[in-house]
Amino acid sequence: MTETSSHDSDDAIDVALMLRVKEGDHAAFQQLVERHQDMIIGTVAKMLGNASDAPDIAQQVFLRLWKSAKRYKRKAKFTTFLFTITRNLVFNESKKRSRRKTHSLEEREDESFQQFADDASKSPDAETLQSELQDAVDKAINALPEKQRLAVILRRYENMPYEEIADVIDCSVSAVKSHLFRARTELRTSLESYLEE
């Protein structure tokens, strides 16, 4: 089975389940949750840069999926529909967070400086360097504007085609490519010090 036909059959299963959910079928809804919760939790965690809140937001995504089931019409792939709900909730959550920052920027900079100062005495091994690089990549992705960040996450971690990303973000394919190009340029600049080593 080719990758495309595998994705098509997965989508056919999702759509069939969603049509049952539309009729109030709780078992079908549970199956959809089980099929997609890890993917949604992972995407939310990467978008918000915070894994601890991701399960709660993912739960809200599926709650919204249940509530919108009656209006569901198959216009695109099911995952596009699901990621569109996810996008809306994550963007709303990001706005809320930017309005109520818990730490001031200065406090966070002091904390991160102290962490680096404490770590300087330890000899860096490959695992530590890999962990530092991953943290730097995560921070750099998290610093991107929302649409660029979502495009990078959907493309890099979910292997989503440009057309589907365009549907989720609600823009053209050329705009998606532009978001990705700008994001890669920004990430390259942010991670320059790591790439030189």
Side-chain angles (χ1 to χ4, degrees):
M1 190 184 286
T2 66
E3 198 173 324
T4 305
S5 61
S6 164
H7 285 307
D8 289 346
S9 68
D10 281 347
D11 187 52
I13 292 167
D14 289 336
V15 169
L17 287 169
M18 192 60 193
L19 292 173
R20 284 170 47 198
V21 172
K22 192 173 179 172
E23 301 303 315
D25 187 329
H26 289 269
F29 177 68
Q30 187 57 42
Q31 278 183 270
L32 276 176
V33 172
E34 286 165 9
R35 285 171 64 84
H36 297 289
Q37 68 182 353
D38 291 343
M39 176 177 70
I40 297 300
I41 289 171
T43 299
V44 169
K46 289 178 194 87
M47 280 296 293
L48 295 177
N50 182 342
S52 61
D53 293 342
D56 290 340
I57 308 278
Q59 192 173 12
Q60 290 177 44
V61 169
F62 288 108
L63 189 62
R64 196 162 288 185
L65 179 71
W66 174 262
K67 287 179 177 174
S68 64
K70 291 265 186 245
R71 297 187 308 277
Y72 175 74
K73 288 184 180 77
R74 185 180 183 178
K75 292 179 185 165
K77 286 181 69 176
F78 171 76
T79 49
T80 304
F81 181 69
L82 186 58
F83 273 113
T84 302
I85 294 171
T86 307
R87 176 204 70 194
N88 292 338
L89 278 168
V90 167
F91 285 7
N92 288 343
E93 186 63 25
S94 293
K95 284 183 187 100
K96 274 189 225 165
R97 286 173 184 216
S98 67
R99 282 195 295 263
R100 56 164 213 280
K101 291 212 164 133
T102 50
H103 286 310
S104 73
L105 190 57
E106 292 82 14
E107 283 177 296
R108 276 186 289 171
E109 282 172 352
D110 287 348
E111 284 171 16
S112 58
F113 178 75
Q114 286 170 340
Q115 286 171 344
F116 282 121
D118 293 346
D119 288 348
S121 59
K122 299 174 189 155
S123 64
D125 59 4
E127 202 173 298
T128 306
L129 289 173
Q130 186 58 42
S131 172
E132 278 180 24
L133 177 60
Q134 189 56 56
D135 285 348
V137 169
D138 290 345
K139 281 181 184 153
I141 289 174
N142 208 32
L144 293 170
E146 285 178 337
K147 288 188 176 184
Q148 287 180 27
R149 191 180 340 146
L150 186 55
V152 167
I153 290 167
L154 295 179
R155 184 75 181 157
R156 179 176 177 185
Y157 298 103
E158 302 303 333
N159 294 319
M160 200 177 270
Y162 294 125
E163 295 76 16
E164 202 174 331
I165 296 171
D167 286 342
V168 171
I169 297 180
D170 194 23
C171 65
S172 67
V173 170
S174 60
V176 168
K177 290 179 179 176
S178 175
H179 284 312
L180 288 168
F181 177 79
R182 285 199 300 266
R184 286 181 189 125
T185 304
E186 192 62 41
L187 291 172
R188 214 171 283 123
T189 305
S190 302
L191 299 169
E192 214 163 12
S193 58
Y194 288 93
L195 298 172
E196 286 167 359
E197 289 171 7

